[in-house]
Amino acid sequence: MQASPDAEKRNAAYAAVDHVKDGMVVGLGSGTTAAYAILALGERRKHENMQILGVPSSYQAFQLAIQNGVPITTLEENPIVDVNIDGADQIDPQLNLIKGMGAALVREKIVAASARHNIFIADQKKKVLVLGEGNQPVPLEVVPFGVALVRRRVQALGGIPMLRETKGKLGPVISDNGNVIMDAAFGAINDPEELELQLKKIPGVVETGLFLGLSDVVYLGTGTTVQKLEKNRL
Ligand code: 5RP
């Protein structure tokens, strides 16, 4: 039976939250799928009286943590995150990801890099053979002063850059860090490590949405079940 994307996201989130134990510091991802995980953490805290602290990866995650009764902390207070749970926009067979369609990629990558264990959760349509397929862009967080340079350099790398516009207000999307988001479409990305290297060399690029080698486990909600993908066990 085909479940709705929402049910798939929810099932993946609840499977991920099973990894959380009493006393843990938990990375709180951003997006609609990660929102289910924050909801589930709030429920476990309430019903099991579990003591946890959440590190929000965005203003959205911060607000959801407050609303769902998940106490929050910072990386200054707790530099090591025990387990991070976040969503993804695309997932390849090596468990490399594209993230950042919610414009939270910088903080998401910092939280992921601070984590002992990274779990990503998604509905099944996020699984792809090659990152970038279906014209999925790589989101880049860019310092506003550097937009013209980044645009030219992305074009020189064969990409099509597009400054992300807001909905409900005229003008560009401004990230939680005060920067803009440039979506760079490269088509199918055959060498994501090389592309990451080239993009990070561009002055003005704060971070890219390529999350390479960071995932330990991916839970994909498929139909009414959850598929678990693990690093080195494909
Ligand atoms: C935000 C992200 C999200 O995790 C990603 O866009 C997936 O979002 P959703 O679960 O809503 O599909 O990277 O920057």
Side-chain angles (χ1 to χ4, degrees):
M1 198 176 89
Q2 186 79 26
S4 71
D6 269 1
E8 293 178 1
K9 290 175 187 190
R10 191 178 180 284
N11 292 341
Y14 276 74
V17 166
D18 275 351
H19 288 253
V20 177
K21 306 270 180 299
D22 197 34
M24 280 188 167
V25 175
V26 185
L28 307 177
S30 305
T32 54
T33 318
Y36 282 116
I38 299 173
L39 187 84
L41 285 169
E43 286 171 2
R44 285 198 61 193
R45 227 187 87 75
K46 195 165 149 199
H47 300 308
E48 300 169 33
N49 196 23
M50 199 169 61
Q51 301 303 311
I52 53 165
L53 289 172
V55 179
S57 61
S58 63
Y59 189 58
Q60 179 222 17
F62 169 82
Q63 283 191 312
L64 284 172
I66 303 294
Q67 285 161 17
N68 288 285
V70 177
I72 52 168
T73 184
T74 63
L75 290 175
E76 295 290 326
E77 292 165 311
N78 287 284
I80 310 291
V81 171
D82 294 300
V83 58
N84 177 43
I85 303 173
D86 201 351
D89 298 300
Q90 281 195 336
I91 302 156
D92 79 4
Q94 287 72 45
L95 307 192
N96 288 325
L97 316 172
I98 291 180
K99 283 184 52 55
M101 292 313 285
L105 61 146
V106 170
R107 295 190 190 200
E108 288 174 330
K109 206 184 262 190
I110 292 171
V111 176
S114 303
R116 287 199 174 96
H117 197 65
N118 274 294
I119 305 175
F120 291 94
I121 51 179
D123 55 289
Q124 59 178 327
K125 72 172 191 297
K126 307 285 183 61
K127 190 177 166 191
V128 295
L129 285 176
V130 183
L131 294 180
E133 73 180 47
N135 228 20
Q136 165 68 47
V138 178
L140 306 174
E141 179 153 333
V142 175
V143 173
F145 189 74
V147 164
L149 174 68
V150 175
R151 188 182 284 127
R152 277 198 297 125
R153 293 283 180 92
V154 164
Q155 283 166 337
L157 290 170
I160 301 172
M162 184 84 87
L163 199 61
R164 196 182 297 174
E165 296 284 325
T166 50
K167 291 189 180 76
K169 168 187 168 288
L170 298 174
V173 168
I174 306 293
S175 76
D176 288 354
N177 314 303
N179 296 311
V180 295
I181 304 294
M182 192 178 286
D183 290 313
F186 294 94
I189 302 167
N190 293 317
D191 191 345
E193 283 80 10
E194 180 58 24
L195 181 61
E196 170 76 346
L197 217 63
Q198 294 306 324
L199 290 170
K200 292 294 286 276
K201 278 191 201 166
I202 306 173
V205 170
V206 177
E207 194 48 86
T208 86
L210 289 168
F211 281 49
L212 310 178
L214 280 168
S215 326
D216 296 297
V217 174
V218 169
Y219 283 109
L220 275 183
T222 60
T224 49
T225 63
V226 178
Q227 190 185 357
K228 183 179 187 184
L229 310 174
E230 283 181 271
K231 199 157 138 183
N232 303 330
R233 275 203 227 159
L234 297 169

